[in-house]
């Protein structure tokens, strides 16, 4: 069975600081992994996805994530936080043709 | 661009009412999903459908039903709304193409309040 765990329900950073949102997965088959972002009162939009190509995946808005099989992790990073990055972030695991399984989400707050 | 449209962004209903949440996608996707989102619980799958007139239960189907009469439309029905169904409901779709990774495309959500 597949599952995903996001470590930390709330992360706070200062503007310009490194953003690190943690995600660990469990999967019996090579997984597809996703990060989605949700801004207030909106649906989810895709930030980036890992599909067994390069282990370092670049997404929109300067975010990237690294797939580490040995650590079963897919942490999301951004070198320099911006106020507009404040949102809720969801990690998800899945495989083709099935419903994605989501983590419980991490709320990112950015202070000036 | 894929567009998933949820007909109502905000609804307020009374306990016991029948509630319909409508979702339409315009990319000819085979798969459609209904999730419920609650603070601290993330997204939980209610029902999904792989084809017209087909449906599968997700993790929390109790108190809900669905209808998929046309490929582009997937409706979520609350037969008798209760206060514990107050939540954000998210519809999503995906392609069944061989190359598909399972990526979902979401609507903007329907926030339902049951009084």
């Amino acid at each position: 069975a597949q599952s995903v765990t996001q470590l930390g329900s709330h992360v706070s950073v200062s503007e310009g600081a490194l953003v690190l949102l943690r995600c660990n997965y469990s999967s019996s088959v090579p997984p597809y992994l996703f990060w989605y972002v949700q801004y207030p009162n909106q649906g989810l939009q895709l930030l980036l996805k890992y599909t067994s190509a390069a282990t370092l995946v670049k997404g929109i808005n300067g975010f990237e994530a690294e797939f580490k099989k040995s650590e079963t992790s897919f942490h999301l990073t951004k070198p320099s936080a911006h106020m507009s990055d404040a949102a809720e972030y969801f990690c998800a695991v899945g495989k083709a043709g099935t419903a994605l399984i989501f983590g419980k989400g991490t709320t990112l707050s950015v202070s000036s | 661009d894929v567009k998933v449209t949820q007909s109502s962004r905000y609804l307020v209903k009374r306990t016991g009412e029948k509630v319909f949440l409508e979702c339409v996608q315009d990319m000819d996707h085979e798969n459609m999903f209904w999730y419920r989102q609650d603070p601290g619980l993330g997204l939980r799958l209610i029902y999904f459908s792989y084809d017209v007139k087909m449906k599968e239960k997700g993790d929390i189907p109790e108190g809900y039903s669905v209808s998929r009469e046309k490929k582009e439309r997937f409706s979520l029905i609350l037969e008798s709304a209760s206060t514990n169904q107050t939540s954000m409901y998210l519809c999503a779709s995906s392609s069944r193409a061989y190359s598909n990774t399972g990526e979902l495309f979401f609507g903007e959500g329907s926030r339902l309040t049951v009084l």
Side-chain angles (χ1 to χ4, degrees):
Chain A
Q2 296 176 308
S3 65
V4 63
T5 302
Q6 291 185 242
L7 303 174
S9 60
H10 199 162
V11 171
S12 297
V13 300
S14 299
E15 195 170 21
L18 171 71
V19 175
L20 171 60
L21 305 182
R22 300 178 187 272
C23 173
N24 288 89
Y25 71 91
S26 171
S27 178
S28 58
V29 297
Y32 296 129
L33 294 161
F34 305 82
W35 276 99
Y36 282 84
V37 61
Q38 184 182 35
Y39 298 104
N41 297 315
Q42 294 187 23
L44 277 70
Q45 64 181 85
L46 184 68
L47 265 183
L48 49 81
K49 61 183 178 183
Y50 167 75
T51 59
S52 75
T55 56
L56 182 63
V57 181
K58 294 187 183 299
I60 62 172
N61 301 337
F63 284 93
E64 62 181 35
E66 186 172 8
F67 173 69
K68 291 187 176 180
K69 185 177 180 180
S70 60
E71 299 177 8
T72 62
S73 69
F74 190 57
H75 301 331
L76 181 71
T77 61
K78 182 174 180 177
S80 177
H82 191 273
M83 297 292 286
S84 61
D85 294 327
E88 190 161 18
Y89 292 80
F90 292 92
C91 182
V93 64
K95 57 183 181 179
T98 66
L100 295 188
I101 297 169
F102 287 85
K104 293 185 177 182
T106 297
T107 299
L108 176 65
S109 299
V110 182
S111 58
S112 57
Chain B
D1 283 350
V2 175
K3 191 164 180 66
V4 180
T5 303
Q6 295 184 231
S7 56
S8 303
R9 293 293 308 277
Y10 301 94
L11 304 93
V12 179
K13 298 292 182 180
R14 297 211 173 270
T15 300
E17 279 193 79
K18 191 169 186 176
V19 181
F20 292 87
L21 300 180
E22 306 286 347
C23 176
V24 177
Q25 50 92 6
D26 66 358
M27 282 300 292
D28 203 34
H29 282 172
E30 293 83 4
N31 307 327
M32 296 189 74
F33 307 83
W34 276 105
Y35 286 89
R36 171 176 171 164
Q37 182 183 10
D38 299 288
L41 297 179
L43 277 71
R44 294 178 291 168
L45 183 64
I46 305 172
Y47 268 97
F48 58 102
S49 170
Y50 289 142
D51 204 345
V52 175
K53 296 190 183 298
M54 296 186 68
K55 60 184 179 182
E56 297 284 344
K57 292 181 179 180
D59 299 319
I60 52 165
E62 296 79 16
Y64 303 94
S65 62
V66 291
S67 173
R68 191 156 181 214
E69 296 296 319
K70 293 185 178 182
K71 188 176 185 179
E72 67 270 19
R73 186 180 299 270
F74 192 36
S75 303
L76 180 68
I77 303 158
L78 288 67
E79 294 288 344
S80 178
S82 63
T83 55
N84 61 13
Q85 292 178 309
T86 291
S87 187
M88 169 74 96
Y89 292 88
L90 293 167
C91 176
S93 71
S94 71
S95 169
R96 200 192 301 160
Y98 177 77
S99 60
N100 177 45
T101 58
E103 177 183 348
L104 295 177
F105 297 85
F106 282 87
E108 292 197 319
S110 298
R111 186 168 294 281
L112 172 67
T113 301
V114 182
L115 302 176

